[in-house]
Amino acid sequence: MENAYPGSNMLVVTLTNGESKRVEAQSDQDTLREAMEVLRNMFGPDIPNATDILVPRWWNNRFQRGSYSNYPIYANHQLVHDIKEPVGRIFFTGEHTSEKFSGYVHGGYLSGIDSSNALLEKMRRDDGWKNESQAFLLEPLLALTGSLTLTQAETVSSLHKCDIPRQLFLSNSKLAEAIL
């Protein structure tokens, strides 16, 4: 990581497929010992011990299962556009649909905002605002996208726009359990 964060003294290792599964199954201390053995074979026995190790277990994470996006070298704007194109009423979002920040959490966040805006626009165009209960259901989406106008803001409670999704999250224990 020296090029990205000078003076950080961090080493990043990426493992894939069977090797990543093998390393995830062992303890962090075993992984640290193994990494130090490889480094000492490469650079000699006098290198200092690592002070810490972080082993993300993406393969065993139920939300990731080891997956990540990796576009081919010939990927272009049209490919990304096609991947995020809605199919009927199904909208796609995530870091893999972000052209500028593919592969990063920030890309997923920005992509979510873009998809929310696209969904809101489709709903406005296709259905209009049918009734107040529909407007209530859309409050979190409107708040997250920053799409509240003065007239819409009057129909939303006095909560700050960031409080709405948090309040809904905290009030929905099944959602909280699913995420945690």
Side-chain angles (χ1 to χ4, degrees):
M1 296 294 295
E2 197 61 28
N3 288 337
Y5 301 101
S8 65
N9 296 319
M10 288 190 282
L11 178 65
V12 175
V13 177
T14 301
L15 303 173
T16 60
N17 297 325
E19 192 65 5
S20 68
K21 292 179 191 177
R22 183 188 69 77
V23 168
E24 282 191 32
Q26 67 188 24
S27 73
D28 288 359
Q29 287 307 314
D30 287 345
T31 302
L32 178 59
R33 274 193 292 281
E34 188 176 329
M36 291 308 303
E37 182 181 325
V38 169
L39 291 169
R40 288 197 169 104
N41 284 337
M42 291 171 65
F43 300 109
D46 297 329
I47 64 168
N49 285 322
T51 57
D52 204 355
I53 188 170
L54 170 66
V55 181
R57 288 176 166 77
W58 290 340
W59 186 260
N60 293 309
N61 182 305
R62 66 185 178 145
F63 296 114
Q64 296 165 325
R65 296 291 186 221
S67 65
Y68 61 93
S69 61
N70 187 22
Y71 286 113
I73 197 164
Y74 56 83
N76 59 27
H77 171 74
Q78 187 62 46
L79 177 67
V80 175
H81 176 75
D82 291 347
I83 287 173
K84 67 181 178 181
E85 184 69 21
V87 176
R89 295 174 60 173
I90 300 172
F91 283 70
F92 299 92
T93 194
E95 53 80 23
H96 63 289
T97 65
S98 172
E99 272 188 84
K100 288 180 93 173
F101 301 104
S102 178
Y104 296 94
V105 170
H106 194 69
Y109 171 75
L110 294 174
S111 171
I113 291 172
D114 290 345
S115 294
S116 297
N117 282 325
L119 176 60
L120 283 170
E121 184 56 36
K122 179 166 178 43
M123 292 175 74
R124 285 183 184 124
R125 199 174 50 246
D126 294 352
D127 300 329
W129 301 107
K130 290 185 178 177
N131 55 46
E132 285 186 30
S133 64
Q134 183 184 24
F136 172 74
L137 292 172
L138 293 174
E139 282 183 14
L141 193 55
L142 290 167
L144 285 173
T145 62
S147 300
L148 294 173
T149 66
L150 287 175
T151 56
Q152 291 168 328
E154 293 166 4
T155 66
V156 178
S157 66
S158 62
L159 292 171
H160 184 274
K161 72 177 187 177
C162 294
D163 289 334
I164 295 170
R166 186 175 52 129
Q167 290 288 339
L168 289 174
F169 172 78
L170 292 174
S171 67
N172 187 339
S173 61
K174 287 187 180 184
L175 176 63
E177 288 173 20
I179 292 174
L180 299 174

